[in-house]
Amino acid sequence: MSSNGVLTGEFFLNGDQACAEGGISAGCRFFAGYPITPATETAERMAERLPEVGGMFIQMEDEIASMAAILGSSWGGVKSMTSTSGPGFSLMMENLGLGAMLETPCVVVNIQRAGPSTGLPTLTQQGDMMQARWGSHGLYPIIALAPCSPQEIFNLTIKAFNLSEKYRTPVLVMADESVGHMTEKVVIPPPQKIKLVTRKKPTVPQGEYIPYKPDADLVPPMAIAGEGYYFHVTGLTHDERGYPDMTAEAQGKLVRRLIDKIELNKDDIIEVEEDQIEGAEVVVCSYGISARVALLAIKVARDEGIKVGMLRLITVWPFPDLKIREIAGKIKSFVVPELNNGQIALEVERCAGGAAETILVGHMGGTVHDPQVILEAIRKAAK
Amino acid sequence: MKYWRIPLDQDKIKPACGQVNIFIEMCKGCGFCIRFCPRQVLEESAEMNQKGYHFPYVAKPDECAGCGLCEAICPDFAIRVSLREKKETADVQ
Amino acid sequence: MSGNGDQTSIYNLLREDRMPHIWCSGCGLGSVLNAFLSALLKSGLPLDKVAVISGIGCTGRAAGYIKLDTFHTTHGRAIPFATGLKLANPELNVVIFSGDGDLASIGGNHLIHAARRNIDMTVICVNNFNYGMTGGQVAPTTPLNARTSTSPYGCTEIPFNLPYLVTAAGATYVARWTSMHVRRMENTFVEALLKPGFSFVEVISPCPTQYGRKNKQPTGLAQMNYYHDNSIIRHGAEPRDVGIELNSPIIVGKFVDIERPTFSENWTKIVGSKFAHEPQSKAKAVKA
C-alpha cells in the first residue's frame, strides 16, 4: 500500500467496504459514524483502516453527532465522511442543512434500506431519493450520486469527495442495501491514476479575508480554523462577512447564490450513462441497483426487436432535466424502474413535460425487481 | 482618601488612582457598575442617553483605585478604566 | 483592564463592527464574555489556535462577537461539532460557549459523551434557568416551582444539577460561578482553558427579561444582588450537593479538578502507537 493510503490492487469487497476504500483513496482522514444496518461495514472498515493511514475514526453517540462531527472536522481542514441508512439519514437532516449553509465539504453515504421507520434493516429499497433532495428544511441544493456496484461505489465516493471540495457542499452517495452488501471484484487503481480535488484556500492576507465572498464560480475560498483568518460562520442567514443578517434581502442574495452554485455548474456535476438512445422508442431511465437489474430486461426486449434505449442516472441530484427533456421529444415513453412508489419517476415525468409518457415500474422494496416485470413494462410501452 | 494614621511608606508608595471612562451611548443602565464598585465611586446620572438609559457618572473620582471591576462587570463593554497620576497627601482624620 | 501599553486588550478580540450586541439590559452574558476574553489573554494560549463554538440561544450569540475562528452551529450540537474540529486539528484549543438549554437539554447526550470521553475541550455553560431567546420557557435547569412561560403554574420538574451531571459523566474540571463573580470567573476560565481534558464551567447569569421577570426578580440588578447575598463559595464541594433550588443559596466554587487520561491520550496509547512506523494494511490484495 502506498503512503497515501490507496490500497492499489484487485479485491473482492462488498459495497460498504469499497465505499470506505473509496473514501480513503479520496483522501478522507476522518470518519464519524454510528452503526446501522446495512452501512455498518463501512464504519468497521474505516475503524480499521483510518489509523493505518494516519486518520481518525470515532464512533459517535448518534447520527446527529456524527453529522456534526464531520462538519467540524471539515472545518479543521480534513476530508470527512459518514455512512448511514434511512433512520440515521433522517436524523442527520438538520446538520446536513447546516453543512449546506456553512458550505462545508463532506460526504454522506446512505445505504438505503426498506422503510418507513425501522422497516427492513437488512433489505433493499430506494425510498430516500426525494429525501436526499428535500430532506432538510429550507432552501438549499444538493448533489447526490447513485452507484450500482461495489466498483462504482468506490469510484463515486471519490467523485463525491471531489465534488464536495470543488463546490463546498455536502455530497450524498445514495447507494442501497443490495449494492452495499453485494460482494464483487473491485479494482483499486494506483494513486497516480486517481484525480483528487481539494477546496480552494484563501489567497488574501489574514486581515482581508471575507468568508463568503464568492469567486466567479460562485464558490468562496475556504479558510480553516487555526490559520489566523479569524472568521465567524453561522447557520443564520448571513452576509459575505459571515455575520448574521436577518433581512429578506440577505436571504435572497445568499440562497440565490447557494442554489446557483450547483444549478449553474450542472454541466460539470451531472453524469449519466447512455446506451442506444438514438432511434429508441422506449428509454429505460433508472439509477442504482434498479438500473442494473433492468439491463436483463433491456437485453431481452432488444432481442425481441424493441428499440430500447438505456439512460442510467449516475448523478441523481441535480436532476438531469435538460437530458430528459431532450430525449422526451424523440421517444414514445420512459420506463422508470425504481425500488419505491415513484420518486425519480416524478422528476422524469415533470421534465418530459408530456412529450413522452412516463411509466413507473415501482416496487415497495425488500428485494430487487423481477426483470420480467420490467420487460413487461417495456413491451407495453413499445406498443 | 481618609486614613486613620499616616502610612509609614507614604512617600514611597502612592495608592493607585483610576480614571473611569464611560461610553455613555453604549450603556444600557443595568446598574452593575454602580452597585459593585468597592468604593462607591459611580452613581446613576439623572440624564439619559439616546436609548433612554440613565448612565453612570463618576461621583467620587478621587476615590477610584483603578481596580477595573466596573470595566470587568459591565455587560455592554461601556466602561474603560485607566490609571492616572494623582497628587495625594495623607489626609488624617 | 485596558491599561496604557497593552499589546492586546479584550477589545481587540471583540468584533467592534457588530457592537452593540443584542443582549438585554441587565443580562449577564456581557459580563461572562468580558471575563472570558480577559481569561483568554491571561492564559497565554496562541489566539490563532483558539476556536469558539456555540449553539443556539442567547449565549450562543457570543461566538458572533468574538474575533477569532468562531462557529455558530445548530441547537445542541456545538459539542460534537467541536469534537470533530478538535480531532481534525489537535493543536486547536476548542471552547464551547453555550447556554443551559442548548447544552443540557437538546445537547445533553453530547454533553455527557464528551465528558465521558474526556475530550480536551472547555465548556462554558451559561445558566439562566430558562430558554431566554425564545421567550422564557422551562429548561432542564429551571428550579422546582419557578415560573416560566411553559410552566405557568410553577415548574414541576427537579432540574439538573449540572456539576453533578458532568462529574458523573467523567469531566475532570468542574466549577461554578455567577456572573457577578467576575474576577473568580476569569481565573477559573484560565484554569479550565489550560487544563487538558474536559473542563466544564457553569456560570449562573441573570435573565431579567424572561426568567427574572417571571420570578419576582425583574431586573438584572435584583438577580445580581441575589447572587451576591446568596452565593456560598465552597471549593471542593461534593457535586451531588450543589443543586439549585428556588430562593435558596447557590454553592459556587471549583468542585472538581482531577486527572484522567484524555481521549487523545487513550487513543494514542491504544491505537496510535501501533502505527508509529510506516503502516502496513492487514487487508490483502487478491492481486496487487
Side-chain angles (χ1 to χ4, degrees), chain A residues 1 3 7 9-11 30 45 49 51-52 55-56 58-62 64-65 68-69 71-73 75-76 78 94-95 98 225-236 241 243-244 246, chain C residues 15 17-18 47-49 61 63-64 67-75 77 80-81 83-85 87-89 92 109-110 113 117 263 267 271 275 278-288:
Chain A
M1 181 182 65
S3 61
L7 210 57
E10 287 182 17
F11 295 87
F30 183 84
R45 191 161 181 112
R49 289 275 288 127
E52 290 174 5
M56 172 61 78
I58 183 168
Q59 182 179 302
M60 297 298 283
E61 54 271 20
D62 54 43
I64 302 177
L71 295 181
S73 171
W75 279 97
V78 174
E94 191 196 2
N95 282 327
L98 181 67
E227 298 192 330
Y229 283 100
Y230 293 179
F231 54 82
H232 174 65
V233 296
T234 172
L236 287 167
R241 297 170 301 171
Y243 295 170
M246 321 279 251
Chain C
R15 293 193 190 268
D17 48 354
R18 291 207 61 211
L47 295 176
D48 278 10
K49 300 294 180 199
R61 292 303 193 102
K67 201 196 286 181
L68 295 170
D69 292 328
T70 60
F71 301 87
H72 184 213
T73 61
T74 39
H75 197 24
R77 320 297 175 191
F81 188 100
T83 300
L85 186 62
L87 293 180
N89 184 354
L92 295 173
N109 196 27
H110 309 306
H113 280 275
R117 293 185 178 114
F263 175 88
W267 192 90
V271 181
F275 301 101
E278 182 66 49
Q280 288 298 316
S281 175
K282 290 205 293 271
K284 284 272 179 288
V286 169
K287 228 163 40 180

Side-chain angles (χ1 to χ4, degrees), chain B residues 26 28-32 35-36 51 53 66-77 79-83, chain C residues 1-2 10-11 14 16 20-21 23-27 30-31 33-34 179-180 182-183 206 220-221 224-225 228:
Chain B
M26 299 278 284
K28 299 223 288 274
C30 67
F32 295 174
R35 166 66 181 85
F36 291 108
K51 292 188 228 181
Y53 293 110
C67 76
L69 190 77
C70 53
E71 179 174 347
I73 208 168
C74 175
D76 294 288
F77 302 95
I79 303 184
R80 309 266 170 111
V81 177
S82 49
L83 293 171
Chain C
M1 188 173 72
S2 58
I10 64 163
Y11 304 99
L14 274 179
E16 298 281 350
H21 56 58
W23 298 318
C24 301
S25 165
C27 170
S31 314
L33 179 59
N34 201 323
S179 67
M180 185 215 67
V182 282
R183 298 293 187 209
L221 198 55
M224 291 287 259
N225 278 324
H228 182 271

Side-chain angles (χ1 to χ4, degrees), chain A residues 90-157:
Chain A
S90 295
L91 287 175
M92 290 181 181
M93 282 302 149
E94 191 196 2
N95 282 327
L96 201 58
L98 181 67
M101 186 59 130
L102 296 183
E103 301 186 62
T104 310
C106 59
V107 171
V108 177
V109 180
N110 180 358
I111 313 288
Q112 299 171 81
R113 71 193 217 182
S117 189
T118 315
L120 298 168
T122 56
L123 299 174
T124 190
Q125 192 188 60
Q126 290 174 308
D128 308 344
M129 300 311 294
M130 275 296 179
Q131 184 187 20
R133 174 64 186 93
W134 306 108
S136 191
H137 58 278
L139 312 174
Y140 67 101
I142 200 76
I143 299 176
L145 311 176
C148 67
S149 67
Q151 177 69 60
E152 197 176 33
I153 201 177
F154 171 86
N155 299 340
L156 290 186
T157 304

Side-chain angles (χ1 to χ4, degrees), chain C residues 20-178:
Chain C
H21 56 58
I22 58 152
W23 298 318
C24 301
S25 165
C27 170
L29 279 168
S31 314
V32 183
L33 179 59
N34 201 323
F36 172 64
L37 295 178
S38 299
L40 265 182
L41 295 177
K42 234 184 182 167
S43 70
L45 288 173
L47 295 176
D48 278 10
K49 300 294 180 199
V50 175
V52 180
I53 302 99
S54 68
I56 302 300
C58 287
T59 313
R61 292 303 193 102
Y65 300 124
I66 302 175
K67 201 196 286 181
L68 295 170
D69 292 328
T70 60
F71 301 87
H72 184 213
T73 61
T74 39
H75 197 24
R77 320 297 175 191
I79 287 181
F81 188 100
T83 300
L85 186 62
K86 175 74 182 180
L87 293 180
N89 184 354
E91 276 181 23
L92 295 173
N93 286 287
V94 298
V95 181
I96 292 89
F97 200 104
S98 213
D100 56 293
D102 188 83
L103 289 172
S105 188
I106 182 170
N109 196 27
H110 309 306
L111 178 67
I112 58 176
H113 280 275
R116 172 182 67 83
R117 293 185 178 114
N118 203 19
I119 305 246
D120 185 14
M121 55 175 50
T122 305
V123 175
I124 296 174
C125 175
V126 180
N127 183 0
N128 60 6
F129 302 123
N130 70 170
Y131 281 83
M133 173 77 81
T134 42
Q137 292 79 35
V138 77
T141 45
T142 305
L144 193 69
N145 284 305
R147 293 194 186 245
T148 66
S149 73
T150 45
S151 64
Y153 309 109
C155 176
T156 55
E157 299 170 22
I158 296 178
F160 269 140
N161 169 347
L162 288 177
Y164 189 29
L165 176 71
V166 298
T167 304
T172 50
Y173 184 97
V174 181
R176 175 203 280 153
W177 292 110
T178 74

Side-chain angles (χ1 to χ4, degrees), chain C residues 200-223:
Chain C
F200 181 88
V201 184
E202 178 187 1
V203 184
I204 312 291
S205 168
C207 173
T209 311
Q210 307 298 357
Y211 182 78
R213 182 169 55 93
K214 297 175 167 91
N215 289 285
K216 300 193 165 63
Q217 289 177 332
T219 63
L221 198 55
Q223 287 171 74

Side-chain angles (χ1 to χ4, degrees), chain B residues 5-91:
Chain B
R5 63 168 177 80
I6 299 174
L8 297 172
D9 52 6
Q10 183 223 29
D11 48 348
K12 289 198 213 73
I13 296 180
K14 296 270 177 292
C17 187
Q19 169 87 34
V20 180
N21 303 297
I22 296 166
F23 291 83
I24 294 171
E25 294 305 323
M26 299 278 284
C27 175
K28 299 223 288 274
C30 67
F32 295 174
C33 55
I34 297 166
R35 166 66 181 85
F36 291 108
C37 171
R39 298 267 189 94
Q40 283 87 54
V41 166
L42 301 170
E43 280 174 27
E44 190 180 278
S45 163
E47 290 169 56
M48 284 192 272
N49 63 12
Q50 295 242 354
K51 292 188 228 181
Y53 293 110
H54 291 285
F55 49 85
Y57 74 97
V58 184
K60 295 182 242 170
D62 289 346
E63 293 287 301
C64 175
C67 76
L69 190 77
C70 53
E71 179 174 347
I73 208 168
C74 175
D76 294 288
F77 302 95
I79 303 184
R80 309 266 170 111
V81 177
S82 49
L83 293 171
R84 66 178 167 104
E85 265 302 307
K86 195 190 81 151
K87 289 199 242 317
E88 184 189 328
T89 49
D91 178 8

